[in-house]
Amino acid sequence: MKNIRNSTLQDLETLLISMGEPKFRAKQVYEWIWQKHAGSIDDMTNLPKALREKLSALYHIPKVKIHHSQYSSDGTIKNRLLLHDGHFVESVLIPTDKRLTVCVSSQVGCSLACKFCATGFLPRKRNMDFDEIVDEVTLANQQALEHYGKGITNIVFMGMGEPLLNYRNVLKAIDKITTPDALGMSPRRITVSTAGISKMIRQLGDDEVRFKLALSLHAANDKKRDEIMPINETSNLDDLVDALNYFYQKTKNEITFEYILFNKFNDSLQDADELIKLYRRVPVDLVNIIEYNPIEKADFSKPDEDTTDTFMAYLESKRVNARLRRSRGKDIDAACGQLANVDGKS
Ligand code: SF4
C-alpha cells in the first residue's frame, strides 16, 4: 500500500487519467489531502464510490494521531503523537499574549546527544516523513481552534530531533505548510532551530529558504560547547559563524541565538562577554536567554534569580538585543529540553 501523500498533483493527474478518470479528479483528491485533511480515501465523498474503492486498494493515508494530551496550568498543551508504525513523538502548543506557537518534532529520538536534553538520551529511531510533520502542524491548529478559539500563529522546529539532519523532509513539510494550496502560512512565522550543522546551514542559504533560523548555542566557547554538545566537535563555533554569515548573505532571514543558562557553567560575566563577542560576529536579531528545566538524567541546574538578572543586565548594558524566556509547561514536562517521556514503540 503506497502513501498517497507522496504523490504530487501531477502524479495524481497521471494516475487518474490512467484509470480512465477526468483530470479534474486529481485536483479533488489533492484538495482532500492537503486542504480538507482527509483521514482516508473513503472520506473523499465527492469522488465516485467505485473510484474510492480502486484508490483504496492501492493507496492509504498514514495519518498521525494524538495519542494523549497533557494540559499545563499555564495553558500549554503537550501532545503525544502516534505515528503509523507505532513510534511516538511530542509536540507542544504554547499560548502567549499575542501568539499561539506550536513546537514540532522532526525525528523520532535524536542522534546528537546534547547533555542537557531529555531527547538526547533517546536513540534516533528514524526521520519523520514530511507528511507526518504537516500532520503535527495541522493537528495543533485544529487543537488550537478547539481549545483557544483561534488557530496557530507560529511554528518552531524545536521539538524532538535535529531538523537539519532530516533536511529533505523538513523543507518539503515547510513547503506544504506555506503553499497557498495547502496550509498557506507565512514562512516568516516559521523558525527552524539547529544544534549547529554548518554544512546544512550553508545548504539552507543555497536553497534560499524564507524561514527564520535559530542556533542553539548554549555555550560561547568551543571548550564548553564540546562538553555539552558533541556536534561542536565537528562543527565548531568558527565554522558556525562562517555558515551563519553565509546564510544571512544569501537569504537576509532573521537569525536568533538560543542560550540556556546553566548554573555555574555558562552564567558568569565572562561567559556573557564571550556571548557578546559571538553576537558581534553574526547578524543576529535576538538572543533568547532561556531558563533551564532540569531533567533527571542531566547534572545541570538553573542559576538563581540574581545571577540571571545580572547576566541579563550585563547584556543589556552592552546593547545586546536579548530577551529572557521563562519556561512554559514545566508542570507537564513540556518545556524546552524536556521532550522525551516517550520512546520506542507503543
Ligand atoms: S537539543 Fe535538539 S539536537 Fe540536542 S539532543 Fe535535544 S533534540 Fe537533539
Side-chain angles (χ1 to χ4, degrees), residues 10 23 26 30 32 35-36 86 91 94 112 117 150 152 183 201 207 211 228 284 286-287 298-299 316 327:
Q10 217 173 15
K23 193 173 157 186
Y30 188 88
W32 274 110
Q35 288 172 4
K36 300 180 197 166
S91 71
I94 309 151
L112 295 191
C117 169
K150 56 183 182 178
I152 55 169
L183 293 181
I201 292 172
D207 288 337
F211 47 80
I228 57 170
V284 173
L286 177 69
V287 182
D299 204 12
E316 252 172 58
S327 284

Side-chain angles (χ1 to χ4, degrees), residues 304-323:
D304 59 36
E305 288 291 320
D306 279 355
T307 308
T308 304
D309 291 348
T310 307
F311 194 91
M312 289 305 296
Y314 189 71
L315 294 183
E316 252 172 58
S317 73
K318 301 288 177 185
R319 294 185 313 281
V320 173
N321 186 23
R323 196 167 50 189

